[in-house]
Amino acid sequence: MPVTAAAVIPSSSLDLFDDEVLRDPYEAHSTLREMGPAVYLHRHGVWALTRYEDVKAALKDTDTFSSVDGVALTDQANQRILAGTVLASDGMAHARLRRPLSHQLNPRAIQKLAGWIEEHAEKLVTAHVRAGRFDAVALARKLVADVVMELMGLPESTRDQLIEAAEHTFNCFGPDNPRHRHSAPAAAGVIEFLHTEVTRKTVRPGTWMDALYQAADAGRITEADVVPLMSAYVAAGMDTTIFAISTAMLLLARHPQQWRNLRAGSVSAQAVFHETLRLESPVQGFGRRVTRATRIGNTKIKAGEQVWLLYGAANRDPRKWGPSADEFSPARPDAEDQLALGAGPHLCAGNHLAALETRSLLTALTRHCTRLEVDGHPQPMLNNTLRGYTSIPLRATPCHPQTPTPHPPAPAA
Ligand code: HEM
């Protein structure tokens, strides 16, 4: 009878949320990917999934990989902060919470916003490029916050807290580390603050808040769902999109040929959006709770255990993206297969809006400047779940006032 060696469980003592790993996670991701399809992370008590096909399959199989009690790494966040939210529910409960704003966020509804968002992006870019030097994060933040505040229909008094809320909320998805402990009270405080500032009296007709209260009036959600739902959409739509847009600008400044390709129209702003998300996924990972015994490759995972789906690692898996996985190449034909927006029933509800905001800003930039350069040191923001920068100083060379957008190709800068 053949003797078979006991299966070795791939495991690691890596702290995925250590400052150094957060600053540059890609070597750690590569090590985990090569160790096996599922690697047990002792420090966090979770299985890391890093390969593209496994992450995608888990995102789509919500019967086995549940968002209930599983999106964050701590019981405190899963049970006190996330329980009953759109992100942390499945099946009928999830559909009930996702439906009230699905009409507002579908591609046709978002297309109708194009004129307004493009015009606003044009105005902001004109002002920033005229100044010559500007901060890409500040520019992106202004556009994204204006859009979200206007569409949701929120009082101006909530703007600053809402902008800060995203950072704190996303820290709470991680382990019980100092970043989490610092952010947990702030994240809870924002919800309390919103309950006092956002009421039926502040609602403007035609806004997302109006749609949420109408859903409550029709009994499709409860009155108590309204503010947490609003807060979830705002937190999900702020830093994620700010980081996507500002990182796209940084990558274009670092890759002058890609910038010229974008100006010349040989790659589209939509392609730059997807390739930026692939290479520098603004949400690096989320968890799931395993509901029944399953296998990832040869590795058995028991019911009740948790997996951590590393979108950032899957999006650089050479099995999917080949030897250029770590390169910024917006012309790659399959960039839009990236998983930075999730997949399956929890696919990002705001993905069409995020794409429109990014396209509008990048297109306005190509109209207004011939050259983009990094002008100092970008400052990374260290967050348990998000990847992006607090500041990206750029220098722009404005177009001559009479120079039109270059179609055909722009001369080399
Ligand atoms: C480039 C920008 C964005 C990125 C990278 C991003 C990323 C993601 C990811 C990865 C998920 C999936 C979560 C999961 O699998 O559990 C998600 C869900 C979600 N996103 Fe986004 N997001 C972006 C922009 C937005 C915007 C602009 C909004 C709304 C204004 C938004 C609202 C949501 C909501 C409500 C969910 C939960 C969906 C559900 O659980 O059914 N996101 N997002």
Side-chain angles (χ1 to χ4, degrees):
M1 210 171 128
V3 178
T4 50
V8 178
I9 296 174
S11 66
S12 165
S13 58
L14 174 77
D15 178 354
L16 205 49
F17 305 89
D18 174 77
D19 284 6
E20 286 316 305
V21 178
L22 292 181
R23 236 175 236 116
D24 181 4
Y26 300 119
E27 203 181 313
H29 287 179
S30 168
T31 305
L32 293 174
R33 259 194 325 258
E34 296 321 307
M35 284 177 73
V39 177
Y40 192 72
L41 301 181
H42 288 292
R43 283 172 189 257
H44 312 306
V46 72
W47 293 92
L49 268 58
T50 50
R51 295 184 183 175
Y52 180 88
E53 290 302 338
D54 298 321
V55 172
K56 187 171 166 184
L59 286 168
K60 292 190 164 185
D61 179 3
T62 51
D63 287 343
T64 311
F65 298 94
S66 169
S67 291
V68 177
D69 199 22
V71 180
L73 274 180
T74 60
D75 289 346
Q76 192 216 11
N78 282 324
Q79 285 153 25
R80 296 215 200 124
I81 304 176
L82 291 165
T85 64
V86 62
L87 192 67
S89 49
D90 283 332
M92 302 285 281
H94 172 248
R96 182 180 70 83
L97 293 168
R98 181 137 171 163
R99 207 169 292 129
L101 289 182
S102 58
H103 178 70
Q104 282 70 10
L105 284 156
N106 73 29
R108 272 181 63 190
I110 294 301
Q111 195 44 43
K112 287 193 189 144
L113 301 171
W116 168 62
I117 293 180
E118 283 161 8
E119 213 173 283
H120 194 45
E122 175 77 18
K123 221 166 59 192
L124 295 176
V125 165
T126 307
H128 282 75
V129 168
R130 195 183 299 131
R133 293 184 153 86
F134 66 94
D135 191 322
V137 181
L139 170 57
R141 182 182 299 123
K142 176 79 180 118
L143 177 72
V144 171
D146 287 353
V147 167
V148 173
M149 295 292 293
E150 181 64 26
L151 293 178
M152 190 58 93
L154 291 167
E156 220 18 61
S157 59
T158 60
R159 176 184 288 254
D160 292 347
Q161 267 88 349
L162 284 171
I163 290 175
E164 269 184 29
E167 178 182 350
H168 293 304
T169 306
F170 279 93
N171 269 333
C172 293
F173 289 103
D176 181 13
N177 63 9
R179 252 185 296 278
H180 183 150
R181 287 193 286 276
H182 166 75
S183 283
V190 170
I191 297 279
E192 268 173 47
F193 167 78
L194 291 174
H195 272 291
T196 60
E197 293 288 310
V198 183
T199 63
R200 281 181 180 270
K201 285 193 208 136
T202 65
V203 169
R204 283 188 276 125
T207 59
W208 295 358
M209 281 309 294
D210 188 25
L212 291 176
Y213 277 115
Q214 281 183 29
D217 290 341
R220 293 193 295 273
I221 55 174
T222 68
E223 187 92 10
D225 288 327
V226 171
V227 168
L229 255 181
M230 175 276 285
S231 162
Y233 275 78
V234 173
M238 288 275 196
D239 280 4
T240 51
T241 318
I242 295 167
F243 290 165
I245 297 174
S246 53
T247 304
M249 287 191 256
L250 175 62
L251 289 168
L252 289 166
R254 283 180 173 162
H255 297 84
Q257 185 57 49
Q258 300 301 348
W259 166 249
R260 287 194 286 271
N261 291 345
L262 177 65
R263 290 196 77 226
S266 58
V267 297
S268 65
Q270 181 78 0
V272 172
F273 170 68
H274 283 296
E275 179 66 352
T276 301
L277 293 187
R278 185 192 71 77
L279 198 66
E280 296 289 1
S281 308
V283 179
Q284 285 281 298
F286 274 143
R288 293 290 191 267
R289 184 75 59 189
V290 174
T291 57
R292 54 192 175 203
T294 188
R295 275 178 186 275
I296 311 283
N298 285 331
T299 307
K300 282 190 209 158
I301 302 191
K302 294 189 209 115
E305 290 191 301
Q306 216 180 354
V307 293
W308 195 248
L309 307 177
L310 279 149
Y311 311 115
N315 280 336
R316 287 178 178 234
D317 181 0
R319 291 163 192 78
K320 161 71 180 167
W321 310 100
S324 69
D326 292 323
E327 289 166 22
F328 178 57
S329 178
R332 74 175 70 242
D334 51 358
E336 67 180 47
D337 292 351
Q338 50 79 18
L339 295 174
L341 296 159
H346 290 276
L347 172 71
C348 175
N351 72 91
H352 301 294
L353 177 61
L356 172 61
E357 292 172 284
T358 309
R359 284 196 310 269
S360 303
L361 204 131
L362 295 183
T363 307
L365 268 183
T366 61
R367 269 200 296 273
H368 284 272
C369 53
T370 53
R371 191 176 172 135
L372 270 188
E373 291 162 283
V374 183
D375 185 34
H377 297 290
Q379 298 301 316
M381 186 182 86
L382 301 189
N383 184 282
N384 281 338
T385 325
L386 293 173
R387 177 161 178 79
Y389 295 85
T390 54
S391 162
I392 302 176
L394 293 183
R395 188 167 49 234
T397 308
C399 294
H400 185 274
Q402 260 115 52
T403 310
T405 314
H407 295 280

